[in-house]
Amino acid sequence: ETGINAEYGGSLTAVHASAGWSEPDCCAMSEALLRRVVLLRPHQPLGPAESGWVAQMVRAGDIVERVGEGGHAALQERASESREMHDAVMVGLLFSAMASSEGCDQHFERMSLITTDGLALVAATAVQLVQGRYTELSDTARKRLLWLCTAMVKLSVPRVDELCLALLRNVASGGHPSEVWLSAELQELMSTHLDWVLSHSQLFTMALFTFTRIAPQHTSPELQAVLEQEADLCRKIFQARPQESVSLGRDFVMLLQQ
C-alpha cells in the first residue's frame, strides 16, 4: 500500500480519510474487485498491469462503489478533479461493471456521462485486459465485456475496433464451448453492425480469416446454425469488400460453398 500511496505523491491517505476508508482497506477491496474479474490463483501476485489498475481504483476511493446510490454528481465531481482522477474513476467503473452480477448498463451510463475522451481510456484498458488476461477472466466478466464492447461499437468509441480484434484472437480453434460462445457473440455483433465493421479493414479481414479457420470445427449438427451464421457474415463482407477479401484464397471459398 505504501508504494501505491507514494505513486500518487501521498495524496491517497487524505482522499480515503475523507471517505471514511483506511488505505489498507481500500487496497484490499480494490484488489478483491480485480480478482473477481481476473481469476488469479489465491496467492498469485498481480502483474504490472493489474497493480496499475488497483492503484487507480485506490485513487478513486469508494465513490465508484456508491454508483447505485444516485451518486452521479459525486462521480462527476471526483472525475473532474484532474486527468489522473478521471482515469482512475473510469477504470474503477469498468472493473465494477465487469464484476457486476446484475448487468453493467448503469455503470456504462455513468462512464458515458463522465468521460472526457469519448471512452477511449475504457476501450484501451479493455484491450490491455483481453490481450493479457482473457483466458483468466471469469464467465461473468467475459459476458459483461462483450456487452460493453457492443455498447461501445454502437457509439463508435475510439479503439473499440482494437478490442474486437483482441477478442477475435481469442476464438482460437473454435471447438471449445467457451470459444463457440465467443465466436457466436462476435458474429452477432459484427452482423448487426456490419457497416461499422466494413469501415475497419483490419477488422473485417481478421474476421474473415478467423471464421474460415475455425469453420472445420463447426461442422457437427449441433453447430450447424453457428456455421451458417458465420458463413453468412463472411459472404456479406466478401460482397461488400471483394478486393480485400480475395487474398484469403481457398479456405474462404470452401466456407462459402458449405
Side-chain angles (χ1 to χ4, degrees):
E1 291 85 357
T2 302
I4 293 174
N5 194 41
E7 181 178 346
Y8 293 107
S11 62
L12 296 181
T13 300
V15 170
H16 299 138
S18 66
W21 286 29
S22 70
E23 187 183 330
D25 286 344
C26 191
C27 288
M29 293 182 72
S30 296
E31 182 170 340
L33 175 61
L34 183 138
R35 287 180 181 271
R36 285 166 57 193
V37 173
V38 183
L39 301 180
L40 302 174
R41 296 187 301 276
H43 300 293
Q44 182 178 351
L46 302 180
E50 292 79 30
S51 296
W53 294 326
V54 168
Q56 287 181 298
M57 287 187 276
V58 170
R59 183 177 181 86
D62 71 336
I63 196 74
V64 171
E65 292 301 312
R66 301 204 304 266
V67 67
E69 301 175 12
H72 170 65
L75 278 170
Q76 185 82 58
E77 181 179 358
R78 179 67 61 84
S80 65
E81 291 177 8
S82 66
R83 177 67 193 190
E84 291 76 14
M85 186 61 80
H86 165 273
D87 292 355
V89 170
M90 298 301 282
V91 167
L93 285 169
L94 173 61
F95 278 91
S96 294
M98 292 183 65
S100 174
S101 60
E102 300 178 353
C104 53
D105 52 336
Q106 187 178 60
H107 292 83
F108 186 73
E109 179 183 359
R110 295 287 194 256
M111 285 189 277
S112 300
L113 291 171
I114 292 169
T115 184
T116 60
D117 64 2
L119 296 171
L121 175 77
V122 173
T125 303
V127 170
Q128 189 177 9
L129 181 63
V130 170
Q131 290 176 338
R133 295 289 190 183
Y134 181 81
T135 59
E136 295 165 289
L137 294 181
S138 70
D139 288 343
T140 295
R142 293 182 187 187
K143 292 175 182 177
R144 301 292 175 259
L145 181 61
L146 262 294
W147 189 95
L148 289 167
C149 183
T150 301
M152 288 192 286
V153 166
K154 291 178 181 178
L155 297 177
S156 297
V157 169
R159 298 194 64 180
V160 71
D161 57 311
E162 296 178 35
L163 178 55
C164 291
L165 284 167
L167 289 166
L168 275 170
R169 293 188 179 101
N170 280 278
V171 172
S173 66
H176 189 276
S178 64
E179 294 170 356
V180 172
W181 171 82
L182 179 58
S183 174
E185 289 291 317
L186 290 172
Q187 177 275 321
E188 181 177 358
L189 186 161
M190 294 182 181
S191 295
T192 302
H193 303 283
L194 184 58
D195 289 341
W196 175 83
V197 171
L198 293 172
S199 69
H200 296 83
S201 60
Q202 187 178 5
L203 179 56
F204 71 71
T205 54
M206 181 66 176
L208 287 172
F209 173 80
T210 299
F211 293 135
T212 54
R213 177 170 52 83
I214 66 175
Q217 304 296 326
H218 292 173
T219 55
S220 60
E222 61 270 22
L223 295 179
Q224 186 63 35
V226 173
L227 178 63
E228 290 176 358
Q229 291 167 356
E230 291 166 348
D232 184 60
L233 173 61
C234 289
R235 289 190 190 96
K236 290 177 180 177
I237 293 175
F238 178 75
Q239 290 168 358
R241 297 289 187 272
Q243 294 300 319
E244 296 93 330
S245 304
V246 72
S247 61
L248 292 171
R250 182 174 55 85
D251 289 341
F252 177 63
V253 174
M254 289 177 63
L255 174 64
L256 294 183
Q257 291 176 341
Q258 291 185 36

